[in-house]
Amino acid sequence: MLNINAIFSNILKIDPIQRQSIISLFWQVSFTAIGFLSTMYFARAVGASILGSYFLFLAYYSIFGMFTDGGFGGAAVKRISEGEEPDAYFSAYFILRLVFTITGVLVLILFKDYFVDLINSGIFVWLLMLLLVTAIAGPISSGIAGTGKMGVRNTCEGINNISRVIIQIPAIYLGYETAGLAGGMLAGVIIAAIIEFRFFDLHLVSFKWEHIKSLSVFSFWLFLTSSGVLVFSQADTVLIGYFMDIENVGIYRVVLQFTGVATFSSSAIRMTLWPRVSQWSKTNEIPLIEESLSRAISYSLILAVPVLVGGILLGDRLLYSFYGEDFAQGYQVLIILLGVQVINVFQYFFTMYLDALDHPQESFKVTAVGVGANIALNIILIPLMGINGAAIATLATMSLNALLAWSALSRHMTVRLERQSLSNIMISSAIMGVIVGGYRLFVPLSNVWVTILVVAIGGVVYGFLILKSDKKVYTEMKDIVEKVGIGFVWPGWL
């Protein structure tokens, strides 16, 4: 019988970064599992066109959400995490976000005739409501992150995502289609914000112009950098919708979501590290920052590399089995985007560390170059190669960004990669690939269960090889399991 109280007590004794990363990883795995199952249902229930409309809605929300935040959210996390007048910085950000959001909503209403697709699909109003709700939910989440409660933030983000899916499924079943998907997203944001507020301990206080000025200096560069990141994440979607039909948007974004399994560990780690690196930067603890970067990259690639290998070998059957025949044509896009996820590990951590080290202007310069190249390549390649062209454009510009960010970050700290760990990852992935490839060569993947079986075999083989070859991973995993105390006895043969 599990002692739940004892387990939670043991979890709290784990190193904060490990603990918060575990919590984040748990929610990443939980949501991705639910997200995959729900997307499979959506793909078969409403098809690529409806999903394409929903993904365009998300793209528009991301764009307008960026402008209503103005980069002040990241700046608030940075200033609050430094521990000096956190209430004043939160209050300044809250008022700024509210003013920007109200202004943005009024502009959207004024120019609503230009958003024919959103109006015709019935989700224009949902977009306005979502922007207004995030004007409250956003500052609460930033305040939680700034005070270092990343376990709470990650948990609430997981609740947000899961709640959204739980509401979207019956909405689709009842025939609400795109509006049901958008409404589910709104509900998830509200539910998570209510829960987060229970752990919120900042207060609205009077603030001075100096607080706004301090946020503005940092947010200006962060806003420009975020704009560039947004281009990488949404420009391809918008341009596919412009040059091609809405169905291709659905196929591309479903494949992109599918590749998200490669980012489990990196997403969990990077959300946890941001406030920590910010604090270490303030106290000039550079060795801790350098060590955290090398470990973060290694742990992120532990998952990203084998997923790339598995996607190459099994991707076509997985897309066909999970989403249907229409989505199987995205196999080539899948391979390219899995490569993007590997490169993104380096790109994201390098730019994140530049921001956390208080060098957002350099992060922006790096991103600005990639933005121009990304837009240009998308405009050239999408008409020539379709959604494959969009994926290639993203891969090329992500690689460029990673190289430039590495060069910029190297001027402020020593960027070290754990060569032995990376070698272990590559060798273990290669061996797993040989075994999975041999299985497919001799065993026809005639149905989804046979396909899932070979995925499980590959995962077990890879996990065993990593634990046997990498002593750091082995030691840390064993330490975490023993500290949690869930009754699992660590195998002596490992």
Side-chain angles (χ1 to χ4, degrees):
M1 193 75 163
L2 291 178
N3 188 330
I4 302 299
N5 291 331
I7 291 175
F8 276 110
S9 177
N10 290 333
I11 289 175
L12 292 175
K13 296 177 183 178
I14 299 175
D15 174 77
I17 292 180
Q18 286 183 336
R19 181 178 69 246
Q20 293 171 2
S21 295
I22 291 169
I23 294 172
S24 180
L25 182 60
F26 169 79
W27 285 111
Q28 287 283 331
V29 172
S30 299
F31 170 65
T32 302
I34 294 175
F36 280 166
L37 292 173
S38 62
T39 302
M40 282 184 244
Y41 170 70
F42 298 152
R44 295 181 179 276
V46 298
S49 295
I50 295 299
L51 283 177
S53 297
Y54 175 60
F55 288 130
L56 279 179
F57 164 76
L58 294 180
Y60 281 120
Y61 165 67
S62 297
I63 293 170
F64 292 118
M66 174 192 68
F67 284 106
T68 56
D69 179 78
F72 284 101
V77 173
K78 170 66 176 175
R79 297 307 182 214
I80 292 171
S81 71
E82 293 173 349
E84 298 177 2
E85 301 183 281
D87 288 331
Y89 280 115
F90 164 74
S91 301
Y93 168 52
F94 178 79
I95 297 301
L96 288 169
R97 178 70 180 263
L98 197 61
V99 170
F100 283 6
T101 299
I102 293 173
T103 302
V105 167
L106 292 175
V107 170
L108 278 172
I109 294 173
L110 184 63
F111 294 97
K112 66 178 182 179
D113 292 339
Y114 290 92
F115 303 98
V116 178
D117 292 340
L118 292 178
I119 294 174
N120 290 341
S121 60
I123 57 176
F124 183 76
V125 174
W126 290 106
L127 175 61
L128 298 182
M129 289 193 294
L130 186 57
L131 290 173
L132 289 171
V133 167
T134 52
I136 306 297
I140 292 175
S141 184
S142 295
I144 290 289
T147 52
K149 298 178 181 179
M150 293 305 298
V152 173
R153 188 188 188 190
N154 294 337
T155 298
C156 288
E157 184 174 357
I159 292 172
N160 173 3
N161 293 328
I162 292 172
S163 300
R164 172 177 57 183
V165 171
I166 290 174
I167 293 169
Q168 286 174 335
I169 291 174
I172 288 296
Y173 179 78
L174 293 173
Y176 288 101
E177 298 186 334
T178 310
L181 294 172
M185 181 175 181
L186 176 64
V189 172
I190 294 173
I191 292 170
I194 291 172
I195 297 173
E196 262 187 326
F197 188 71
R198 293 179 60 86
F199 299 90
F200 190 77
D201 54 15
L202 295 175
H203 303 88
L204 286 173
V205 298
S206 59
F207 55 90
K208 300 178 181 178
W209 174 251
E210 285 74 15
H211 296 106
I212 295 178
K213 184 178 179 181
S214 178
L215 288 174
S216 300
V217 170
F218 191 84
S219 69
F220 173 75
W221 295 107
L222 199 60
F223 171 74
L224 295 177
T225 302
S226 299
S227 301
V229 172
L230 188 64
V231 169
F232 281 118
S233 62
Q234 302 298 341
D236 46 7
T237 302
V238 174
L239 290 173
I240 290 171
Y242 177 78
F243 287 111
M244 307 180 71
D245 57 54
I246 203 74
E247 182 179 354
N248 284 282
V249 175
I251 294 172
Y252 182 84
R253 294 298 300 193
V254 164
V255 172
L256 181 60
Q257 183 203 54
F258 189 72
T259 65
V261 68
T263 65
F264 276 160
S265 50
S266 62
S267 296
I269 294 169
R270 67 196 187 196
M271 287 189 293
T272 301
L273 276 178
W274 163 260
R276 297 286 174 181
V277 176
S278 176
Q279 291 174 353
W280 292 334
S281 172
K282 188 72 174 178
T283 55
N284 199 35
E285 297 181 79
I286 302 299
L288 283 176
I289 297 174
E290 293 174 347
E291 174 67 16
S292 69
L293 176 61
S294 61
R295 294 303 290 154
I297 291 175
S298 295
Y299 272 102
S300 297
L301 292 177
I302 278 179
L303 188 58
V305 173
V307 168
L308 170 61
V309 174
I312 293 172
L313 295 171
L314 303 172
D316 57 335
R317 294 304 306 170
L318 290 171
L319 290 175
Y320 179 84
S321 300
F322 290 164
Y323 304 109
E325 185 177 356
D326 290 343
F327 293 90
Q329 60 186 294
Y331 172 61
Q332 293 180 334
V333 172
L334 174 68
I335 295 175
I336 299 169
L337 291 180
L338 284 172
V340 168
Q341 299 293 10
V342 173
I343 301 299
N344 189 40
V345 169
F346 298 94
Q347 188 272 152
Y348 193 97
F349 279 119
F350 290 162
T351 54
M352 188 205 83
Y353 271 67
L354 281 172
D355 290 337
L357 289 170
D358 215 359
H359 299 291
Q361 66 276 17
E362 295 191 40
S363 180
F364 164 69
K365 292 175 184 177
V366 167
T367 306
V369 176
V371 167
N374 185 268
I375 294 174
L377 284 175
N378 270 302
I379 292 174
I380 293 170
L381 295 179
I382 290 176
L384 293 176
M385 306 173 65
I387 56 177
N388 289 341
I392 291 172
T394 302
L395 177 61
T397 51
M398 188 71 74
S399 301
L400 175 63
N401 246 36
L403 289 172
L404 294 176
W406 169 77
S407 177
L409 185 61
S410 296
R411 293 195 289 268
H412 304 286
M413 57 177 278
T414 301
V415 179
R416 292 190 297 266
L417 298 180
E418 297 179 328
R419 296 184 180 181
Q420 186 58 52
S421 291
L422 296 182
S423 176
N424 293 334
I425 292 170
M426 299 299 292
I427 294 172
S428 299
S429 298
I431 295 173
M432 178 206 72
V434 171
I435 293 173
V436 171
Y439 182 103
R440 178 165 189 182
L441 184 63
F442 295 104
V443 180
L445 304 183
S446 55
N447 59 65
V448 65
W449 300 112
V450 177
T451 306
I452 291 176
L453 175 61
V454 70
V455 171
I457 292 173
V460 170
V461 169
Y462 176 76
F464 172 79
L465 292 172
I466 278 292
L467 290 174
K468 291 295 288 184
S469 62
D470 198 311
K471 295 302 180 184
K472 283 187 177 180
V473 175
Y474 172 87
T475 301
E476 292 186 13
M477 288 298 297
K478 181 180 179 181
D479 183 54
I480 290 171
V481 169
E482 291 178 345
K483 284 181 179 178
V484 171
I486 58 177
F488 175 76
V489 179
W490 191 260
W493 47 267
L494 274 176

